[in-house]
PDB file of all heavy atoms in Angstrom:
ATOM      1  N   VAL A  85    -107.295 -37.689  10.337  1.00  0.00           N
ATOM      2  CA  VAL A  85    -108.656 -38.209  10.430  1.00  0.00           C
ATOM      3  C   VAL A  85    -109.406 -37.575  11.595  1.00  0.00           C
ATOM      4  O   VAL A  85    -110.632 -37.445  11.559  1.00  0.00           O
ATOM      5  CB  VAL A  85    -108.661 -39.756  10.555  1.00  0.00           C
ATOM      6  CG1 VAL A  85    -108.101 -40.399   9.294  1.00  0.00           C
ATOM      7  CG2 VAL A  85    -107.876 -40.214  11.781  1.00  0.00           C
ATOM      8  N   ASP A  86    -108.673 -37.197  12.640  1.00  0.00           N
ATOM      9  CA  ASP A  86    -109.276 -36.497  13.767  1.00  0.00           C
ATOM     10  C   ASP A  86    -108.163 -35.816  14.558  1.00  0.00           C
ATOM     11  O   ASP A  86    -106.973 -35.922  14.213  1.00  0.00           O
ATOM     12  CB  ASP A  86    -110.093 -37.436  14.651  1.00  0.00           C
ATOM     13  CG  ASP A  86    -109.311 -38.655  15.148  1.00  0.00           C
ATOM     14  OD1 ASP A  86    -108.061 -38.555  15.275  1.00  0.00           O
ATOM     15  OD2 ASP A  86    -109.932 -39.689  15.413  1.00  0.00           O
ATOM     16  N   ALA A  87    -108.529 -35.097  15.614  1.00  0.00           N
ATOM     17  CA  ALA A  87    -107.546 -34.340  16.389  1.00  0.00           C
ATOM     18  C   ALA A  87    -106.516 -35.244  17.051  1.00  0.00           C
ATOM     19  O   ALA A  87    -105.335 -34.897  17.169  1.00  0.00           O
ATOM     20  CB  ALA A  87    -108.254 -33.480  17.436  1.00  0.00           C
ATOM     21  N   GLN A  88    -106.949 -36.424  17.520  1.00  0.00           N
ATOM     22  CA  GLN A  88    -106.016 -37.345  18.169  1.00  0.00           C
ATOM     23  C   GLN A  88    -104.947 -37.813  17.172  1.00  0.00           C
ATOM     24  O   GLN A  88    -103.761 -37.888  17.510  1.00  0.00           O
ATOM     25  CB  GLN A  88    -106.764 -38.555  18.748  1.00  0.00           C
ATOM     26  CG  GLN A  88    -105.854 -39.565  19.454  1.00  0.00           C
ATOM     27  CD  GLN A  88    -105.092 -38.959  20.629  1.00  0.00           C
ATOM     28  OE1 GLN A  88    -105.695 -38.351  21.501  1.00  0.00           O
ATOM     29  NE2 GLN A  88    -103.779 -39.102  20.644  1.00  0.00           N
ATOM     30  N   ALA A  89    -105.349 -38.093  15.949  1.00  0.00           N
ATOM     31  CA  ALA A  89    -104.393 -38.497  14.923  1.00  0.00           C
ATOM     32  C   ALA A  89    -103.440 -37.346  14.598  1.00  0.00           C
ATOM     33  O   ALA A  89    -102.242 -37.565  14.349  1.00  0.00           O
ATOM     34  CB  ALA A  89    -105.123 -38.963  13.663  1.00  0.00           C
ATOM     35  N   ALA A  90    -103.965 -36.121  14.610  1.00  0.00           N
ATOM     36  CA  ALA A  90    -103.117 -34.952  14.362  1.00  0.00           C
ATOM     37  C   ALA A  90    -102.074 -34.808  15.462  1.00  0.00           C
ATOM     38  O   ALA A  90    -100.899 -34.516  15.197  1.00  0.00           O
ATOM     39  CB  ALA A  90    -103.965 -33.693  14.267  1.00  0.00           C
ATOM     40  N   LEU A  91    -102.490 -35.025  16.715  1.00  0.00           N
ATOM     41  CA  LEU A  91    -101.559 -34.933  17.838  1.00  0.00           C
ATOM     42  C   LEU A  91    -100.501 -36.033  17.763  1.00  0.00           C
ATOM     43  O   LEU A  91     -99.314 -35.776  17.989  1.00  0.00           O
ATOM     44  CB  LEU A  91    -102.324 -35.046  19.157  1.00  0.00           C
ATOM     45  CG  LEU A  91    -101.484 -35.038  20.433  1.00  0.00           C
ATOM     46  CD1 LEU A  91    -100.672 -33.751  20.543  1.00  0.00           C
ATOM     47  CD2 LEU A  91    -102.374 -35.217  21.656  1.00  0.00           C
ATOM     48  N   THR A  92    -100.911 -37.239  17.419  1.00  0.00           N
ATOM     49  CA  THR A  92     -99.952 -38.339  17.275  1.00  0.00           C
ATOM     50  C   THR A  92     -98.949 -38.036  16.181  1.00  0.00           C
ATOM     51  O   THR A  92     -97.740 -38.267  16.345  1.00  0.00           O
ATOM     52  CB  THR A  92    -100.700 -39.651  16.953  1.00  0.00           C
ATOM     53  OG1 THR A  92    -101.598 -39.955  18.015  1.00  0.00           O
ATOM     54  CG2 THR A  92     -99.718 -40.798  16.765  1.00  0.00           C
ATOM     55  N   ALA A  93     -99.422 -37.474  15.065  1.00  0.00           N
ATOM     56  CA  ALA A  93     -98.528 -37.118  13.965  1.00  0.00           C
ATOM     57  C   ALA A  93     -97.537 -36.035  14.398  1.00  0.00           C
ATOM     58  O   ALA A  93     -96.340 -36.106  14.097  1.00  0.00           O
ATOM     59  CB  ALA A  93     -99.341 -36.632  12.777  1.00  0.00           C
ATOM     60  N   ALA A  94     -98.023 -35.036  15.131  1.00  0.00           N
ATOM     61  CA  ALA A  94     -97.144 -33.957  15.596  1.00  0.00           C
ATOM     62  C   ALA A  94     -96.050 -34.495  16.515  1.00  0.00           C
ATOM     63  O   ALA A  94     -94.878 -34.109  16.388  1.00  0.00           O
ATOM     64  CB  ALA A  94     -97.967 -32.895  16.315  1.00  0.00           C
ATOM     65  N   ARG A  95     -96.419 -35.383  17.431  1.00  0.00           N
ATOM     66  CA  ARG A  95     -95.420 -35.953  18.334  1.00  0.00           C
ATOM     67  C   ARG A  95     -94.429 -36.833  17.592  1.00  0.00           C
ATOM     68  O   ARG A  95     -93.230 -36.861  17.922  1.00  0.00           O
ATOM     69  CB  ARG A  95     -96.137 -36.745  19.429  1.00  0.00           C
ATOM     70  CG  ARG A  95     -96.875 -35.853  20.432  1.00  0.00           C
ATOM     71  CD  ARG A  95     -97.695 -36.663  21.426  1.00  0.00           C
ATOM     72  NE  ARG A  95     -98.261 -35.792  22.462  1.00  0.00           N
ATOM     73  CZ  ARG A  95     -99.160 -36.197  23.357  1.00  0.00           C
ATOM     74  NH1 ARG A  95     -99.593 -37.470  23.343  1.00  0.00           N
ATOM     75  NH2 ARG A  95     -99.613 -35.359  24.264  1.00  0.00           N
ATOM     76  N   THR A  96     -94.894 -37.532  16.570  1.00  0.00           N
ATOM     77  CA  THR A  96     -93.998 -38.359  15.757  1.00  0.00           C
ATOM     78  C   THR A  96     -92.996 -37.484  15.007  1.00  0.00           C
ATOM     79  O   THR A  96     -91.803 -37.807  14.943  1.00  0.00           O
ATOM     80  CB  THR A  96     -94.813 -39.191  14.746  1.00  0.00           C
ATOM     81  OG1 THR A  96     -95.738 -40.008  15.456  1.00  0.00           O
ATOM     82  CG2 THR A  96     -93.907 -40.074  13.906  1.00  0.00           C
ATOM     83  N   ILE A  97     -93.464 -36.365  14.469  1.00  0.00           N
ATOM     84  CA  ILE A  97     -92.573 -35.442  13.762  1.00  0.00           C
ATOM     85  C   ILE A  97     -91.498 -34.909  14.702  1.00  0.00           C
ATOM     86  O   ILE A  97     -90.309 -34.874  14.368  1.00  0.00           O
ATOM     87  CB  ILE A  97     -93.387 -34.286  13.145  1.00  0.00           C
ATOM     88  CG1 ILE A  97     -94.263 -34.811  12.005  1.00  0.00           C
ATOM     89  CG2 ILE A  97     -92.472 -33.178  12.648  1.00  0.00           C
ATOM     90  CD1 ILE A  97     -95.298 -33.819  11.527  1.00  0.00           C
ATOM     91  N   ASP A  98     -91.885 -34.515  15.906  1.00  0.00           N
ATOM     92  CA  ASP A  98     -90.926 -34.005  16.882  1.00  0.00           C
ATOM     93  C   ASP A  98     -89.870 -35.055  17.226  1.00  0.00           C
ATOM     94  O   ASP A  98     -88.688 -34.726  17.409  1.00  0.00           O
ATOM     95  CB  ASP A  98     -91.647 -33.572  18.151  1.00  0.00           C
ATOM     96  CG  ASP A  98     -92.477 -32.309  17.961  1.00  0.00           C
ATOM     97  OD1 ASP A  98     -92.238 -31.594  16.978  1.00  0.00           O
ATOM     98  OD2 ASP A  98     -93.370 -32.043  18.791  1.00  0.00           O
ATOM     99  N   ALA A  99     -90.292 -36.302  17.326  1.00  0.00           N
ATOM    100  CA  ALA A  99     -89.374 -37.376  17.722  1.00  0.00           C
ATOM    101  C   ALA A  99     -88.428 -37.783  16.604  1.00  0.00           C
ATOM    102  O   ALA A  99     -87.384 -38.382  16.868  1.00  0.00           O
ATOM    103  CB  ALA A  99     -90.177 -38.595  18.184  1.00  0.00           C
ATOM    104  N   ARG A 100     -88.760 -37.408  15.376  1.00  0.00           N
ATOM    105  CA  ARG A 100     -87.967 -37.841  14.232  1.00  0.00           C
ATOM    106  C   ARG A 100     -87.227 -36.699  13.562  1.00  0.00           C
ATOM    107  O   ARG A 100     -86.944 -36.723  12.371  1.00  0.00           O
ATOM    108  CB  ARG A 100     -88.875 -38.564  13.229  1.00  0.00           C
ATOM    109  CG  ARG A 100     -89.316 -39.938  13.745  1.00  0.00           C
ATOM    110  CD  ARG A 100     -90.532 -40.493  13.021  1.00  0.00           C
ATOM    111  NE  ARG A 100     -90.373 -40.533  11.565  1.00  0.00           N
ATOM    112  CZ  ARG A 100     -91.332 -40.995  10.730  1.00  0.00           C
ATOM    113  NH1 ARG A 100     -92.471 -41.456  11.227  1.00  0.00           N
ATOM    114  NH2 ARG A 100     -91.124 -40.994   9.436  1.00  0.00           N
ATOM    115  N   ILE A 101     -86.875 -35.667  14.315  1.00  0.00           N
ATOM    116  CA  ILE A 101     -86.227 -34.491  13.755  1.00  0.00           C
ATOM    117  C   ILE A 101     -84.910 -34.833  13.063  1.00  0.00           C
ATOM    118  O   ILE A 101     -84.591 -34.284  12.002  1.00  0.00           O
ATOM    119  CB  ILE A 101     -86.016 -33.403  14.836  1.00  0.00           C
ATOM    120  CG1 ILE A 101     -85.462 -32.115  14.236  1.00  0.00           C
ATOM    121  CG2 ILE A 101     -85.146 -33.915  15.971  1.00  0.00           C
ATOM    122  CD1 ILE A 101     -86.433 -31.360  13.400  1.00  0.00           C
ATOM    123  N   GLY A 102     -84.134 -35.766  13.632  1.00  0.00           N
ATOM    124  CA  GLY A 102     -82.882 -36.163  13.009  1.00  0.00           C
ATOM    125  C   GLY A 102     -83.099 -36.782  11.648  1.00  0.00           C
ATOM    126  O   GLY A 102     -82.370 -36.489  10.682  1.00  0.00           O
TER     127      GLY A 102
END
Side-chain angles (χ1 to χ4, degrees):
V85 295
D86 54 28
Q88 180 60 53
L91 177 59
T92 300
R95 288 174 173 171
T96 301
I97 291 168
D98 289 342
R100 288 162 54 180
I101 185 71

